[in-house]
Amino acid sequence: MSTSLNASALVRLLGPWNTGAGPAYRELADVVRLLIMDGRIPLDAALPSERALAQALGVSRTTVTAAYAGLREQGFLSAGQGSRGRTGIPHRTVPVSSPGVAVPDGILDLAHASLPATGEVVHRAFADALKNLPALLPGFGYDALGFPPLREAIAERYTAAGVPTTAGQILVTSGAQHALNIVLQTIAGRNHKVLVDHPTYPNALDAIRASGSRVVPVPLPPAPVGVADAGPGWDMDLLEATLQEQRPAMAYLVPDFHNPTGRLMSDLQRRRLARAAAAAGTVLVVDETLRALNLDGGTTSPLAAFSPAVVSIGSLSKSHWAGLRTGWIRAEEGLLGRFIATRTTMDLGGAAVEQLAATGLVRSFDQPLGARLALLRENRAFLLDLLAEHLPGWQPERPAGGLAVWSRLPAASSTALTVIAPEFGIRLAAGPRFGAGGAFEQYMRVPFTLPPAQLSTAVLALRAAQDRLDAAPQLRRTLKHAPDVAIA
Ligand SMILES: Cc1ncc(COP(=O)(O)O)c(C=O)c1O
């Protein structure tokens, strides 16, 4: 569905766009382009009229006219023909196709760390779901808690992993992001603090901000240069001290193949974290969306094994398929009751067929994972080799699991790279999307979810984009500040 953006909404998204380092029209066009590429301005959205935007920004109309003309020329804005131009991503002449992988308009997507469905397994689960559907048809077909056999199957997986769980402790949601929003709306909100790993998953940051809560970022220690294995994990002293001093209402952490670094928190660190959160009166919420993507076979217990008060969020999006839109919350029954009350203010339950299919998938959870993990291990090694060969100045951290590599760049150029990337046929998520207050301008997340041939093309494109920046360092200065207001 097409949307339109009014001038004040665009001004908010633009943030401090005008650094004075170049002509205003070019800076304006560059930042709008970044916002489109980053997904913060939706595609097919009508931008404000030139007059309205010029007025809202306090610049001359000529500046906006020239910026829009530049965007039109580059294909980021449709011609408009009297009506307002609409946002888009330029088409390339040679489309790159890949069945099952989202490649909009031939651009290789390094902004999303997501995989196609696990082969035939998901399709078969849906075929079985349709066969089983008639048994559900005489009933209402929905339940705010979720389909009971699915809740049972999820509970059994926790129990098998050493965390005794009943179906009464499981709420099925439409994915992990939905789960996080339910939790935030229940226990955080205006005048509440939410502690996060820093960097962290951008959509979680957006959800926390949208809830009105104040983000309390706790930096992850940087990876030591040249150390291949056993990343530095978490700074437990700092986490404990921050919990004790700030006493946030909630802490949102990703201890299992953390997004974006791919780190795995040790059991020792898990124990300290659970204890510190309990002492601070903080509800510890752990996002286990990536827990099944264990590439190095590290053994850890789910965080809930260390405290019954932990709230766990899970999802089938990374292990099986994001198109299932199926996730869950595991919590003590009392708290779960509050989550259910919140959930019914948003929706009344998940769709029946998806939950039937998810039940089959959770019951035989590990079946498709072997092949998926083998492919991801190969892709991880391939990407790390490509980066070493073509971008030797980058300092990637080797992830213990997950879908992406987090790399330090030789210069603070993440936003500028992201802005020019489409010209080289790639789409990137700038480092600052993973942080608060413009941090991580010197970092980039590179997923290894594309097939090797495309990964190779994408890294060569990254190299070409980096060469362009090295040849025109003023671009880096112009785009130093990434706007930190985001639309997921
Ligand atoms: C850490 C983390 N949490 C949540 C999500 C979103 O999961 P879902 O598709 O289940 O909403 C993602 C997806 O990238 C993620 O990486």
Side-chain angles (χ1 to χ4, degrees), residues 175-177 201 252 254 259 287 289-290 315 317-318 325:
Q177 184 71 7
Y201 174 55
Y252 166 84
V254 188
N259 190 352
D287 184 338
T289 297
L290 293 142
S315 169
S317 285
K318 306 298 178 183
R325 304 310 312 142

Side-chain angles (χ1 to χ4, degrees), residues 187-214:
I187 58 181
R190 220 158 289 287
N191 302 324
H192 289 84
K193 295 177 193 166
V194 176
L195 179 149
V196 296
D197 299 319
H198 200 225
T200 192
Y201 174 55
N203 290 328
L205 270 179
D206 289 347
I208 294 166
R209 290 187 190 113
S211 76
S213 311
R214 189 145 70 77

Side-chain angles (χ1 to χ4, degrees), residues 148 175 213 222 258 278 283 384 475:
S213 311
H258 172 260
V283 180
L384 288 171
L475 263 179

Side-chain angles (χ1 to χ4, degrees), residues 206-380:
D206 289 347
I208 294 166
R209 290 187 190 113
S211 76
S213 311
R214 189 145 70 77
V215 174
V216 178
V218 177
L220 285 175
V225 179
V227 175
D229 278 312
W234 277 252
D235 184 340
M236 293 315 297
D237 291 341
L238 185 59
L239 260 175
E240 284 170 347
T242 312
L243 281 165
Q244 199 180 6
E245 275 162 29
Q246 302 274 342
R247 299 194 176 272
M250 171 177 153
Y252 166 84
L253 281 92
V254 188
D256 297 283
F257 313 116
H258 172 260
N259 190 352
T261 63
R263 291 181 194 181
L264 177 64
M265 187 182 279
S266 71
D267 275 351
L268 202 64
Q269 291 181 327
R270 286 168 196 247
R271 190 179 303 282
R272 283 180 68 179
L273 173 63
R275 201 179 296 143
T282 298
V283 180
L284 176 56
V285 180
V286 293
D287 184 338
E288 298 177 338
T289 297
L290 293 142
R291 182 163 166 87
L293 302 186
N294 184 354
L295 300 184
D296 289 342
T299 49
T300 55
S301 297
L303 231 147
F306 300 93
S307 163
V310 166
V311 175
S312 314
I313 288 175
S315 169
L316 293 179
S317 285
K318 306 298 178 183
S319 55
H320 292 75
W321 191 39
L324 283 155
R325 304 310 312 142
T326 301
W328 57 85
I329 302 172
R330 179 205 179 273
E332 285 181 312
E333 283 195 30
L335 190 49
L336 202 83
R338 292 175 57 202
F339 292 149
I340 295 159
T342 302
R343 193 252 171 90
T344 50
T345 67
M346 300 173 174
D347 71 348
L348 301 181
V353 178
E354 275 71 6
Q355 292 188 73
L356 278 170
T359 308
L361 294 170
V362 174
R363 282 184 182 147
S364 52
F365 193 91
D366 292 333
Q367 191 203 336
L369 282 185
R372 171 157 287 212
L373 294 182
L375 177 117
L376 284 172
R377 274 185 211 108
E378 272 175 31
N379 281 10
R380 175 184 61 179

